[in-house]
Amino acid sequence: MPTKPGCLHAVGPDGRVVCTPGLALRALALLLVGMLGASEGTTQSLDVRLLQDLYHAPSPVLRGAMNVTQATANPLLLTAPALQWGVALADGGPAVEAAYRTSVAWVATTGLVLLLKPIRPRLRPYRAVPGIRSRSERYNERGEIVGRFSFPSGHTALAFGLATSWTYSRPGWLVAAPAFTWATAVGLSRVWMGVHYPSDVLAGALLGTGIAALVHTLGDRITPAFLREEAEPVGPMLRIVVPLR
């Protein structure tokens, strides 16, 4: 029996295998509830146990990878849309359309993360879980520069949003594999630094991926006509003229 992507499959009353997207949503909801556990900060929560396992992992390779990811995440997350626009303006054609959609996804993800954080005002792990301290200079118990609340992870949401946008723009493993590997490392680094729970990262990954996929699926409906590929008969949008005399 052929199956459909994005579905869980179950046997119906007539013996047929049917697509049940509702089951997929319920499974995801149960996963999030199980990770969040009882009250935040309790060692009874699967979320906290996973946090402690990663935070206290003794591997020097993991420590090095997390430090490198932490050092490079903010610069890349903040400048990636601008860099993509720079390349697009020089290249023209479909690159401009891709840069626009990446920017829309980036702005929408940022806005939604900021709206969601006060809805579930969850203190960051280093404030709530014994034995967890922040490994980031941007976060400390004297006051956070970027907010006290952890759910969902904005860094992870933006990283997965960018990875999804790049993959839609340039389909294939040569883009998808490094992009999603980097996004996953960003998410893990947030837990390793003690500033996010695993459920914060999971929610951020789903949020960023979902918004970027929606933006690229809508495609022409949200892209101005003058930016669409078919409306770009000329080459690069940015030209440099060098006088010969």
Side-chain angles (χ1 to χ4, degrees), residues 9 33 36 42 51 59 75 92 100 104 110 124 152 155-156 161 168 207 213:
H9 296 82
V33 170
L36 292 172
T42 64
L51 160 70
S59 170
Y100 172 80
V104 171
T110 301
R124 296 184 184 274
H155 283 71
T156 308
Y168 267 95
L207 180 67

Side-chain angles (χ1 to χ4, degrees), residues 94 110 133 141 233:
T110 301
R133 296 289 180 266
E141 295 179 358

Side-chain angles (χ1 to χ4, degrees), residues 60-222:
V61 175
L62 175 65
R63 186 183 308 113
M66 295 297 94
N67 281 326
V68 170
T69 302
Q70 157 68 4
T72 58
N74 279 334
L76 187 53
L77 289 174
L78 293 175
T79 62
L83 292 174
Q84 189 170 347
W85 268 109
V87 173
L89 291 174
D91 187 37
V96 175
E97 189 174 354
Y100 172 80
R101 293 176 185 174
T102 297
S103 299
V104 171
W106 191 95
V107 171
T109 300
T110 301
L112 194 52
V113 166
L114 294 176
L115 287 174
L116 289 174
K117 281 187 180 290
I119 293 177
R120 190 178 192 280
R122 187 188 202 190
L123 293 178
R124 296 184 184 274
Y126 66 86
R127 283 185 170 272
V129 181
I132 302 295
R133 296 289 180 266
S134 171
R135 289 181 168 126
S136 171
E137 296 179 356
R138 292 172 56 85
Y139 304 85
N140 56 68
E141 295 179 358
R142 297 177 183 176
E144 292 83 359
I145 298 175
V146 290
R148 302 173 59 197
F149 304 132
S150 69
F151 186 90
S153 168
H155 283 71
T156 308
L158 289 177
F160 273 87
L162 288 172
T164 303
S165 290
W166 295 334
T167 301
Y168 267 95
S169 301
R170 300 279 186 178
W173 286 107
L174 289 178
V175 172
F180 281 101
T181 298
W182 167 73
T184 300
V186 171
L188 292 176
S189 73
R190 306 304 289 169
V191 179
W192 182 83
M193 288 188 298
V195 299
H196 280 290
Y197 296 89
S199 59
D200 300 338
V201 169
L202 175 60
L206 293 173
L207 180 67
T209 301
I211 290 177
L214 177 62
V215 167
H216 284 267
T217 299
L218 291 175
D220 291 347
R221 295 183 223 176
I222 62 170

